[in-house]
Amino acid sequence: MHALIVASHPDRQSLTHAVAQQVEQGIATSGPHTAEIADLAAEGFNPSFNAADFAQFQGKGPAPSDVRAEQARLQRAQALVLVYPVYWWSFPGLLKGWIDRVFTNGWAYEDNNDGKLVKKLEHLQVHLVAIGGADMRTYDRHGYQGAMKLQIDHGIFGYCGAPVVASELLLPVDGQIPSGHLDTAHAIGQRVFEARAPS
């Protein structure tokens, strides 16, 4: 089986990239599986939803070539792992723009004129690995984790039928980044193809 790991951070030396690499290594050691990392910043993905994207949404033109290339990568995968820092209690803009442009009407879902929604990504299991700067007390006190789950798990992936089978939030403890985060990331990778969607 194959996993696409999407990392969204401009600094190649960041914890985000270190975590993505450990997830990839964990997948490699878990069996006859493969993985590739899509480094959105290094690859220069353009997150801006543009006129060509809007034309595709309206059914007046094809998806742009860069979008089709990302969709092809996703079609080769049985699992999608998103590794990202939490910016303003959500995805970074680059990752949100990737989703805005790649998860298109007609490919990720189909919003028919009769009002019926067809979910087209039920085969794709999603794993979220978010790296936050606040501690769990802050997340719990303000309900941020629940808000993120509603927005991302339900609002994006639930709409397309792609089950979120695992969601990890890597946070500082007593103001410090635990050294064990990389071990946790490796273990996440080892479990990618063991996890199943919650019933």
Side-chain angles (χ1 to χ4, degrees), residues 67-77 107:
V67 169
R68 292 196 308 272
E70 296 301 305
Q71 291 171 342
R73 288 212 279 200
L74 280 164
Q75 286 170 330
R76 293 191 295 268
W107 183 82

Side-chain angles (χ1 to χ4, degrees), residues 24-181:
E24 180 184 35
Q25 290 177 22
I27 291 169
T29 63
S30 68
H33 306 303
T34 58
E36 68 175 300
I37 295 178
D39 180 347
L40 298 183
E43 294 173 5
F45 182 80
N46 178 2
S48 298
F49 192 88
N50 56 47
D53 297 307
F54 189 61
Q56 186 280 329
F57 175 76
Q58 293 182 309
K60 297 178 179 177
S65 59
D66 60 339
V67 169
R68 292 196 308 272
E70 296 301 305
Q71 291 171 342
R73 288 212 279 200
L74 280 164
Q75 286 170 330
R76 293 191 295 268
Q78 291 75 47
L80 169 64
V81 185
L82 301 182
V83 182
Y84 57 95
V86 176
Y87 289 176
W88 295 108
W89 314 111
S90 188
F91 290 143
L94 178 58
L95 181 55
K96 180 58 167 57
W98 183 79
I99 290 168
D100 288 346
R101 296 191 63 217
V102 174
F103 285 60
T104 60
N105 186 11
W107 183 82
Y109 65 94
E110 195 160 347
D111 196 359
N112 293 327
N113 292 333
D114 60 7
K116 292 184 180 177
L117 175 68
V118 178
K119 301 179 178 191
K120 303 186 84 168
L121 295 184
E122 293 176 335
H123 65 282
L124 186 66
Q125 297 201 355
V126 178
H127 303 257
L128 304 172
V129 185
I131 301 164
D135 60 27
M136 187 54 79
R137 289 186 302 272
T138 302
Y139 277 81
D140 288 343
R141 185 168 63 249
H142 298 289
Y144 291 137
Q145 192 170 14
M148 289 168 60
K149 184 175 181 63
L150 180 63
Q151 175 195 358
I152 297 169
D153 298 29
H154 175 72
I156 297 172
F157 297 111
Y159 195 80
C160 302
V164 175
V165 298
S167 184
E168 301 282 346
L169 189 55
L170 305 181
L171 301 175
V173 176
D174 296 327
Q176 302 296 317
I177 300 297
S179 59
H181 275 354

